[in-house]
Amino acid sequence: FSYVNNIDNIKRGTNSSLYIGDTKGKYQYGFGSGYISKDYDHNDLGIIFTNNYYSFNSNASYRTLKKTTNFNSIRLQTDIQTEFENSTNKLQLGTIAFAGDFFTLKNDGINITTTISPFETFDFYFPGVDGRYNYNPKYIDFSSIISTNRNRKYSFDLTQNFIKHDQPGRKSYTISFGQEYRFSDKFYLRYGVRGIKDRNDIGFADYTVDDIVYAKRDINTLEHQITGKYSINNVMNFNLKVRYYWAHAINNKFLNLQDDGYFMDNTTYNANKNINRNIWNFDLSYSWWFAPGSLVSILYRNNSSLSERTFNTNFGDNLRNVLNNNPNNTISISFRYYIDYNQAKNIFKQSN
C-alpha cells in the first residue's frame, strides 16, 4: 500500500502480486499475476510512472544438473508476459521469450534469446498527458551474448541485438564489445564500446496548442568506457572511470498523435527538433579503509555535457567540442569514522 499526503490531495494506492511455481529439479515452472492501482506511488527512490495495470505471466524451464560432454550447464527457458491498463483493458505489454544459457567446460558463457511481441500494444506513459496513449507495433527481437571466463588474464564479452518492428523500415541494431586485462592481482583495466542504430524510430517531439507531436527519426548512439582499479593493499585502492557518450537524432517527418493512439502525418510543423548530445565523465578516486567501517576517500572529477540542434556528425569534432565546453573540475574529500557504541561506553566507564 502507499499513502501520499499532498495537503490538498491524498492519494492511496495498492500494489499486489501472487506467484506460484516449482523451483526444484530439472523442470521448473511458474505462474503469476499482479495488480497496481492508478494512485499507487512507488517513488521512494527515483521516478517511476509505471502503474495502473494488471498483469499475468508464466514461465517454464529446463536445466541440466550434471555437466555434459561439452557443457558444465545448460538452461532453456520460455516466458510469457502480459500487462493490461486498468481503465481501458488495452494491452500495454505482451511478449513471448525463448532463451538458452550455455556454459562450457572452461566456464565461457553463451546466451541466445528471441523475444516476440505478436500483438499491437499501447504506451500510456510516453505521451505525458493523462488519458492519452500511443500504439506500438508488433516486433521480433534477436539477441546473443558471448562472455569468456573472467578468471583469465584476458577476457571479453560480445553482445549483439537486432529488433524488427512491423512498420516500414523500422529496425534497430545494437552491438557492444568489452574486454578486460588483469595485469596482476592488484591492477586491471577494462575497455568497452557500444553502438546503436535506430532506423525510423517513432518518439515524442513536442506539444502544440492542439496536438501532441511525434517524430519519425534516425538515432545513432556511440559509447566508450574505460574502467580500472589498482590496489596498493587490501585497504587502499585507486579507481578510474572514463566515459564518453554521444548520440544524435535526425527527424525525417512529424506525426500527430490521434485520440485512438495511432498517428497521422503532420505537414505543418517545421521546428528543428534534431538533437546532438555529448556527455563526458572522468573520475579518479582514492579510498583508504583505515579502520573497520571507517573510510577516507578523495575524488577528482572532470565532466562536461553539450546539447545542440545544429551539428555535424564527425566523431573527432564532437569529442573536442564537449571537452572544450567549459568542463567542471571538482575535488572532494570524504571522511567517515565508525564508532562502536559497545566499545565507546567501556572507554567512558574506565575514564570515570
Side-chain angles (χ1 to χ4, degrees):
F1 298 95
S2 71
Y3 179 90
V4 179
N5 188 346
N6 289 330
I7 301 178
D8 58 342
N9 182 27
I10 296 177
K11 296 173 63 177
R12 297 179 176 89
T14 304
N15 183 354
S16 60
S17 62
L18 174 67
Y19 180 84
I20 301 173
D22 183 359
T23 59
K24 68 178 185 296
K26 292 183 178 181
Y27 300 95
Q28 302 177 359
Y29 60 89
F31 307 92
S33 180
Y35 171 83
I36 301 179
S37 66
K38 183 177 181 179
D39 290 332
Y40 180 75
D41 188 297
H42 40 183
N43 291 322
D44 290 335
L45 295 173
I47 299 177
I48 306 173
F49 297 106
T50 53
N51 56 10
N52 195 33
Y53 68 87
Y54 59 95
S55 63
F56 301 96
N57 61 82
S58 64
N59 65 78
S61 64
Y62 166 81
R63 63 174 180 170
T64 59
L65 300 178
K66 296 180 180 180
K67 69 179 182 179
T68 65
T69 304
N70 298 311
F71 296 99
N72 270 335
S73 65
I74 298 174
R75 182 179 180 87
L76 304 176
Q77 182 165 332
T78 181
D79 293 274
I80 300 176
Q81 303 280 342
T82 61
E83 292 179 3
F84 299 86
E85 201 266 344
N86 285 335
S87 58
T88 64
N89 294 315
K90 287 183 177 294
L91 185 69
Q92 67 180 34
L93 174 67
T95 59
I96 304 172
F98 306 93
D101 294 299
F102 308 87
F103 288 91
T104 69
L105 299 178
K106 295 183 178 181
N107 285 326
D108 299 321
I110 301 171
N111 170 272
I112 300 173
T113 303
T114 299
T115 303
I116 302 170
S117 181
F119 307 105
E120 290 182 350
T121 58
F122 295 86
D123 191 325
F124 290 82
Y125 314 104
F126 204 25
V129 176
D130 191 30
R132 300 297 299 273
Y133 49 86
N134 65 261
Y135 106 100
N136 290 320
K138 310 170 191 177
Y139 69 84
I140 185 167
D141 181 340
F142 301 99
S143 67
S144 66
I145 303 173
I146 300 173
S147 182
T148 61
N149 189 345
R150 290 287 180 88
N151 290 322
R152 302 189 188 122
K153 280 188 172 291
Y154 175 78
S155 61
F156 72 87
D157 50 78
L158 175 66
T159 302
Q160 302 174 79
N161 176 253
F162 173 71
I163 304 174
K164 181 67 178 74
H165 294 83
D166 187 23
Q167 276 180 343
R170 185 172 179 181
K171 51 195 171 184
S172 176
Y173 309 87
T174 301
I175 186 168
S176 63
F177 180 69
Q179 51 187 334
E180 180 178 310
Y181 190 80
R182 182 162 43 86
F183 296 87
S184 67
D185 292 340
K186 294 185 175 183
F187 179 46
Y188 83 86
L189 279 176
R190 178 176 177 81
Y191 168 71
V193 60
R194 179 170 65 107
I196 306 173
K197 283 185 176 291
D198 294 308
R199 292 295 173 261
N200 291 305
D201 174 76
I202 294 179
F204 172 81
D206 198 5
Y207 296 109
T208 64
V209 176
D210 300 316
D211 297 307
I212 301 175
V213 181
Y214 278 58
K216 182 175 287 189
R217 60 203 180 181
D218 294 336
I219 306 173
N220 292 307
T221 304
L222 182 63
E223 182 179 17
H224 295 269
Q225 185 165 298
I226 298 172
T227 57
K229 182 176 182 178
Y230 178 74
S231 299
I232 300 174
N233 50 44
N234 63 338
V235 295
M236 292 185 183
N237 302 294
F238 285 97
N239 290 279
L240 172 69
K241 184 173 182 180
V242 184
R243 177 176 178 261
Y244 173 54
Y245 173 89
W246 174 36
H248 60 84
I250 298 177
N251 299 309
N252 301 318
K253 65 185 300 186
F254 292 104
L255 309 166
N256 283 342
L257 179 63
Q258 301 181 92
D259 291 338
D260 62 1
Y262 293 88
F263 301 103
M264 180 176 64
D265 288 354
N266 182 329
T267 58
T268 58
Y269 186 87
N270 58 6
N272 181 6
K273 289 297 179 177
N274 297 336
I275 184 69
N276 185 51
R277 180 72 168 162
N278 288 270
I279 299 175
W280 163 263
N281 291 285
F282 176 94
D283 290 355
L284 178 63
S285 64
Y286 165 78
S287 59
W288 173 28
W289 294 90
F290 60 90
S294 304
L295 171 70
V296 172
S297 64
I298 303 172
L299 170 67
Y300 168 71
R301 171 169 292 166
N302 175 276
N303 68 289
S304 178
S305 63
L306 178 64
S307 294
E308 303 170 297
R309 294 294 184 188
T310 304
F311 54 91
N312 70 58
T313 56
N314 180 273
F315 173 82
D317 290 343
N318 278 272
L319 179 57
R320 281 189 294 270
N321 289 341
V322 71
L323 291 176
N324 294 327
N325 188 41
N326 298 318
N328 299 311
N329 292 283
T330 306
I331 296 177
S332 62
I333 300 174
S334 173
F335 177 81
R336 183 174 68 197
Y337 185 71
Y338 172 74
I339 299 176
D340 188 326
Y341 171 75
N342 291 319
Q343 292 184 357
K345 69 179 182 181
N346 292 331
I347 294 174
F348 287 119
K349 286 181 179 180
Q350 292 176 2
S351 62
N352 291 332

